Amino acid sequence: MAESTMKPPKIAIDPVAWMRQNLFSSWYNSLLTVFVGYLVITSAGPLFTWLFFEATFLGDKPSDCSGTGACWLFISERLNFFIYGFFPQEHQWRVDFMFGLMALSFVPQFIERFPGRKWFGLFGLTGLPVVGYFMIPGGWFGLEVVESTKWGGLMLTLILAYIGIIASLPIGILLALGRRSEMPIIRGLCVVFIEVWRAVPLITVLFMASVMLPLFLPEGVNFEKLMRALIGITLWQSAYMAEVIRGGLQAIPRGQYEAADALGLGYWKKTGLIILPQALKMVIPGIVNTFISLFKDTTLVLIIGLFDILGTVQSTVTDPAWQNVAIEGYVFVAFCFWVFCFGISRYSQNLERKLDTGHKT
Amino acid sequence: MGNNMSEESQATEQRTPVPSQAEGKSDIIRVEGMHKWYGDFHVLQDLNLTVKQGERIVICGPSGSGKSTFIRCINRLEEHQQGKIIVDNIELTDDVRHIDTVRREVGMVFQHFNLFPHLTVLENCCLSPIWVRKTPRKEAEADAMEYLKRVKIPDQANKYPGQLSGGQQQRVAIARALCMKPKIMLFDEPTSALDPEMIKEVLDVMIELAGSGMTMLCVTHEMGFAKTVADRVIFMDGGEIVEEAPPHEFFTNPQEPRTQSFLKQILQH
Ligand SMILES: Nc1ncnc2c1ncn2[C@@H]1O[C@H](COP(=O)(O)OP(=O)(O)OP(=O)(O)O)[C@@H](O)[C@H]1O
Ligand SMILES: [Mg+2]
């Protein structure tokens, strides 16, 4: 077959034609465009005025906030608390180090041509938590111990979400496989586990983990509160994850299993090389959805007395030194969550596009 | 599944028969008094068949007669409940090790190709040699390219199955099975999901394979193919082997009434 060198024709986009086609294609479409345009312009004006034009960015005390706009001084003055909680100042470099590693692992994932970015990503999923395990609590290599009761703010949010996410994925995969197992005992155990955890609200799980779990544990065994919360979140999340993944497993045609069997691949090779790669790819949107909702659900740890980013902000907005800064605080929290969740979402879209091999079975 | 048989069979109608390769060879498959049930449904009833090394068997029969079920029993994609199946001196039982050994020696080609859509053509072919036979990757890839040349699509090696035509996909599926260097190849209606113009390219590959001495069991309604390569044609109906004869005899002088009416039906067109 001779390769043709002819390229497909490029279609130029003309803005006027585009607008006519998409915004003013009919009289009601035009009306809608004008109406929505009016709404956007009238509400965006005051919003931007409050956010930027009338807002105070410079200064170092509450009285510097004089304008009618937002008082961002409140955020910048208390930023340290919002990021690190009560983590002692002189040890905060350890957290910064972890932030740096995290950025190093995940930012390259957004840059198509970054050399070896796969390896950075792999480190992010495996090495990063190990390093964090030594760096953050300390007690090794001459690092002073910082108890988990002092952790807080954004750092705590990221720890909770990150551990919850990367631990729940493999557990969820095993649970989903177990639920489809032909061995009745394994299948039964997985069904019970999934149905029990999935039917309980996260708040209840957290309460049980922090209040009730210590009652059941044998004398002398005691996890820190944070550890208990992490275990609770992970198990709860993996029950959800299992069901998402099972959906993918069920969508794999029987012919794929048969072809793998006929080639002599055993159960684990068949599962790992043929079934899971396809099933996981298919349910990326569902997996990401669960990740994002977990990320936001971590704020619930507030009720067992852990101060994540929302907790730190909430505890400061009532500070009598600052007047009426609640809105600024919550906008800041919302913005932080949005940045991370949007990042996750963009990344997953990238991944889906990259993994698309054009099959339609 | 036999609706467009007349067009299909034209593809190979005018060929000279491929000489038999089974002269004086030993048995490689023995099926003795085999029964299978799906629940209460007695789908295969007392099947007996002996296949010599290098022999080519074509199995035909009406839809639902148990042809697929039968050849799927030979690599244990389905299990039988009574009787014996012995493949390459290994009896198929519940023993997983025996099943694995047999599957390594038996390649299978499916009606709907069943290629792995997330792997390239080359990766599809190398997967099993690398993971099951433990062949070094370099060697496996070189082998795979050889087989892809043999099925005449080496230039598609780095494409994904979704980017190929049906005929090309089926040829990849044949190459993938051959990469395991099997002693036996099973085909379950390999051309019946294909458009007429693609049928010939797949049959050509299969005829070439027949000439190389491969033991082949092939469920097909391609009567031209049967005449060209089959050492024996087996006719199944209602879960039984009704008739078994060399192709010339089978087509010109069928003994059983059921065979006669089946042949009349498919040759009528
Ligand atoms: N998994 C199953 N459970 C129950 N019955 C089945 C199952 N698979 C097949 N059957 C039945 O067994 C019989 C034989 O099926 P089989 O697929 O072997 O037929 P076939 O000869 O290959 O037909 P076709 O030409 O349509 O492919 C059919 O009546 C079918 O309905
Ligand atoms: Mg069939």
Side-chain angles (χ1 to χ4, degrees):
Chain A
M1 230 184 290
E3 291 285 318
S4 157
T5 51
M6 217 172 117
K7 294 268 183 297
K10 287 217 164 51
I11 298 164
I13 299 166
D14 169 13
V16 174
W18 183 89
M19 287 205 330
R20 188 169 299 148
Q21 196 181 351
N22 291 287
L23 298 178
F24 300 101
S25 58
S26 60
W27 67 266
Y28 54 84
N29 205 344
S30 311
L31 208 67
L32 209 63
T33 303
V34 170
F35 179 64
V36 172
Y38 171 77
L39 276 187
V40 167
I41 290 165
T42 49
S43 57
L47 183 67
F48 281 97
T49 310
W50 184 83
L51 280 174
F52 305 111
F53 307 137
E54 299 276 313
T56 313
F57 292 94
L58 298 172
D60 51 14
K61 51 191 181 300
S63 55
D64 289 335
C65 280
S66 48
T68 52
C71 177
W72 296 124
L73 291 185
F74 166 68
I75 305 296
S76 53
E77 285 301 300
R78 309 304 303 266
L79 195 59
N80 195 276
F81 182 54
F82 296 160
I83 291 178
Y84 305 98
F86 301 101
F87 213 89
Q89 201 103 39
E90 68 271 25
H91 298 307
Q92 284 176 4
W93 65 270
R94 280 150 56 176
V95 182
D96 293 337
F97 179 75
M98 292 311 297
F99 279 143
L101 276 187
M102 194 162 178
L104 196 64
S105 323
F106 294 114
V107 171
Q109 306 309 318
F110 293 91
I111 303 164
E112 203 66 44
R113 282 184 222 293
F114 201 90
R117 65 177 186 155
K118 212 195 257 175
W119 299 106
F120 285 88
L122 202 64
F123 172 79
L125 295 180
T126 54
L128 190 65
V130 177
V131 178
Y133 182 77
F134 291 109
M135 286 297 282
I136 307 260
W140 326 76
F141 314 121
L143 293 176
E144 209 172 298
V145 175
V146 178
E147 280 165 21
S148 65
T149 47
K150 297 208 173 112
W151 308 0
L154 179 65
M155 155 204 163
L156 184 69
T157 298
L158 287 179
I159 289 175
L160 288 168
Y162 186 73
I163 305 280
I165 284 171
I166 62 165
S168 66
L169 189 60
I171 300 178
I173 289 174
L174 290 178
L175 284 170
L177 291 174
R179 192 166 185 169
R180 288 168 56 82
S181 162
E182 277 161 20
M183 285 174 270
I185 296 182
I186 292 186
R187 188 175 56 229
L189 285 176
C190 291
V191 170
V192 169
F193 181 96
I194 292 171
E195 296 303 339
V196 166
W197 283 89
R198 208 161 52 127
V200 179
L202 182 56
I203 295 205
T204 320
V205 172
L206 290 171
F207 261 128
M208 302 258 281
S210 83
V211 183
M212 284 178 66
L213 195 63
L215 303 179
F216 300 129
L217 286 176
E219 199 85 31
V221 178
N222 196 13
F223 297 119
E224 293 166 355
K225 184 155 70 178
L226 177 63
M227 193 54 141
R228 294 193 303 251
L230 264 177
I231 293 173
I233 288 177
T234 304
L235 294 181
W236 182 78
Q237 179 73 6
S238 37
Y240 268 95
M241 197 54 76
E243 287 299 281
V244 172
I245 292 165
R246 191 165 68 95
L249 291 175
Q250 256 155 359
I252 304 293
R254 224 177 60 152
Q256 295 288 308
Y257 290 89
E258 289 177 353
D261 285 338
L263 285 169
L265 296 166
Y267 176 81
W268 290 107
K269 284 175 194 158
K270 171 173 69 176
T271 307
L273 297 168
I274 307 299
I275 307 303
L276 274 181
Q278 294 184 62
L280 291 179
K281 183 171 96 182
M282 220 176 295
V283 293
I284 288 175
I287 292 178
V288 171
N289 206 20
T290 11
F291 281 172
I292 289 179
S293 66
L294 172 67
F295 198 97
K296 295 179 294 178
D297 282 344
T298 55
T299 49
L300 291 172
V301 295
L302 190 61
I303 59 145
I304 56 167
L306 293 173
F307 281 82
D308 74 326
I309 186 165
L310 181 62
T312 51
V313 170
Q314 192 153 358
S315 69
T316 6
V317 290
T318 49
D319 185 346
W322 297 86
Q323 300 287 315
N324 301 324
V325 287
I327 301 180
E328 285 85 339
Y330 292 122
V331 167
F332 171 70
V333 172
F335 178 72
C336 290
F337 274 103
W338 180 80
V339 166
F340 283 99
C341 293
F342 186 66
I344 297 176
S345 153
R346 292 306 303 183
Y347 175 61
S348 81
Q349 281 172 27
N350 257 341
L351 196 65
E352 269 180 74
R353 227 189 4 255
K354 219 179 61 186
L355 293 179
D356 181 24
T357 56
H359 75 99
K360 284 161 203 80
T361 39
Chain B
M1 320 253 135
N3 39 7
N4 53 355
M5 253 173 271
S6 59
E7 325 168 52
E8 291 177 20
S9 47
Q10 281 159 12
T12 50
E13 205 73 80
Q14 312 300 334
R15 287 180 170 270
T16 45
V18 180
S20 175
Q21 309 275 337
E23 224 56 62
K25 295 272 175 62
S26 54
D27 295 346
I28 193 160
I29 302 175
R30 281 216 319 276
V31 179
E32 292 171 4
M34 192 259 275
H35 292 256
K36 174 171 178 61
W37 287 263
Y38 281 126
D40 282 337
F41 176 49
H42 200 170
V43 52
L44 297 178
Q45 303 169 26
D46 192 29
L47 299 190
N48 291 285
L49 178 71
T50 308
V51 181
K52 284 200 185 117
Q53 227 160 12
E55 216 176 354
R56 282 116 33 182
I57 311 278
V58 163
I59 303 170
C60 61
S63 182
S65 55
K67 309 178 296 286
S68 299
T69 310
F70 178 37
I71 72 163
R72 289 155 60 86
C73 282
I74 290 170
N75 65 351
R76 195 80 174 182
L77 285 184
E78 303 284 352
E79 61 184 276
H80 60 286
Q81 279 94 21
Q82 199 181 313
K84 268 190 191 171
I85 300 178
I86 298 165
V87 179
D88 198 21
N89 294 321
I90 296 167
E91 180 170 359
L92 280 170
T93 56
D94 281 333
D95 192 331
V96 184
R97 279 164 308 167
H98 287 187
I99 297 174
D100 285 345
T101 319
V102 167
R103 282 180 180 165
R104 245 170 279 163
E105 303 306 331
V106 180
M108 182 154 193
V109 175
F110 300 86
Q111 181 175 4
H112 295 288
F113 331 134
N114 296 353
L115 293 176
F116 304 130
H118 62 303
L119 302 176
T120 63
V121 165
L122 191 63
E123 288 166 340
N124 262 279
C125 292
C126 295
L127 187 82
S128 202
I130 290 174
W131 289 91
V132 179
R133 286 237 194 261
K134 313 284 181 209
T135 317
R137 176 174 292 273
K138 277 253 154 51
E139 200 179 309
E141 285 181 356
D143 270 1
M145 283 312 293
E146 279 308 308
Y147 284 110
L148 287 174
K149 269 183 210 147
R150 207 166 144 189
V151 301
K152 304 186 183 66
I153 37 174
D155 48 335
Q156 312 285 351
N158 293 314
K159 286 199 182 163
Y160 286 96
Q163 299 166 320
L164 304 185
S165 76
Q168 291 173 325
Q169 291 192 45
Q170 193 61 298
R171 284 183 285 152
V172 172
I174 294 174
R176 177 177 73 179
L178 291 176
C179 281
M180 281 296 278
K181 312 209 161 103
K183 294 182 175 153
I184 302 165
M185 285 284 283
L186 307 175
F187 295 84
D188 189 0
E189 305 205 33
T191 55
S192 54
L194 297 176
D195 293 333
E197 71 269 21
M198 296 173 187
I199 290 175
K200 186 173 174 305
E201 62 189 48
V202 171
L203 289 181
D204 282 346
V205 166
M206 289 170 63
I207 290 168
E208 191 267 331
L209 189 62
S212 74
M214 176 66 74
T215 310
M216 292 165 71
L217 263 74
C218 186
V219 175
T220 184
H221 292 124
E222 291 292 338
M223 292 307 148
F225 173 77
K227 284 177 195 161
T228 313
V229 307
D231 291 304
R232 271 183 288 159
V233 180
I234 287 175
F235 174 69
M236 286 183 72
D237 190 19
E240 295 171 311
I241 294 180
V242 175
E243 186 155 354
E244 186 184 326
H248 181 70
E249 234 170 276
F250 182 84
F251 289 112
T252 53
N253 186 20
Q255 303 297 309
E256 301 285 329
R258 276 192 280 179
T259 319
Q260 288 159 4
S261 73
F262 174 76
L263 283 175
K264 203 181 286 168
Q265 237 175 28
I266 66 165
L267 297 177
Q268 217 167 47
H269 294 279

